[in-house]
């Protein structure tokens, strides 16, 4: 895969970045090196490796998901909110 100025411009637009014209060539070379490295990874034989891997024998330990009610918890949380009403946070309207 070749990385040219068109690709750099597209990546800059998608990432909302401004890239100086004098840095585009250096960036293109660096991205080409990264793409070459990733393409080299495709050549590695991983057919003998299990699809999942964990360093914890027996899998991830899970805790019991139990509901509890603590008196005054809601009031303490709402006391930290800038605006609240009826145990709900009041936030500015962002969609009209």
């Amino acid at each position: 895969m070749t990385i040219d100025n068109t690709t750099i411009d597209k990546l800059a637009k998608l990432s909302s970045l401004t890239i100086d014209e004098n840095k585009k060539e250096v960036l293109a070379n660096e991205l080409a090196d990264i793409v070459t490295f990733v393409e080299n990874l495709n050549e590695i034989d991983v057919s003998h490796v299990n699809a999942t891997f964990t360093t914890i024998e027996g899998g991830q330990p899970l805790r019991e998901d139990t509901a509890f009610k603590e008196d005054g918890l809601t009031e303490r949380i709402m006391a930290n909110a800038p605006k609240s009403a009826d145990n709900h946070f009041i936030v500015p309207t962002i969609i009209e």
Side-chain angles (χ1 to χ4, degrees):
M1 176 179 190
T2 58
I3 307 292
D4 56 4
N5 278 345
T6 305
T7 306
I8 297 293
D9 291 339
K10 184 175 180 181
L11 291 172
K13 183 178 179 182
L14 290 171
S15 61
S16 299
L17 295 175
T18 303
I19 300 172
D20 293 335
E21 289 296 324
N22 57 353
K23 293 185 179 182
K24 284 186 179 181
E25 185 176 339
V26 174
L27 182 60
N29 291 332
E30 290 176 355
L31 288 173
D33 289 343
I34 292 169
V35 169
T36 302
F37 175 76
V38 172
E39 287 174 347
N40 288 337
L41 292 177
N42 290 331
E43 297 174 8
I44 298 173
D45 178 24
V46 292
S47 61
H48 62 281
V49 179
N50 291 335
T52 58
F53 174 77
T54 180
T55 57
I56 301 172
E57 191 172 323
Q60 178 69 26
L62 300 175
R63 65 174 174 80
E64 186 67 31
D65 189 16
T66 55
F68 69 94
K69 183 174 182 177
E70 183 178 329
D71 291 334
L73 180 63
T74 304
E75 290 78 15
R76 289 197 319 259
I77 292 172
M78 289 296 144
N80 292 309
K83 291 183 181 179
S84 64
D86 299 325
N87 289 333
H88 293 85
F89 295 106
I90 299 175
V91 296
T93 303
I94 57 171
I95 300 174
E96 295 185 28

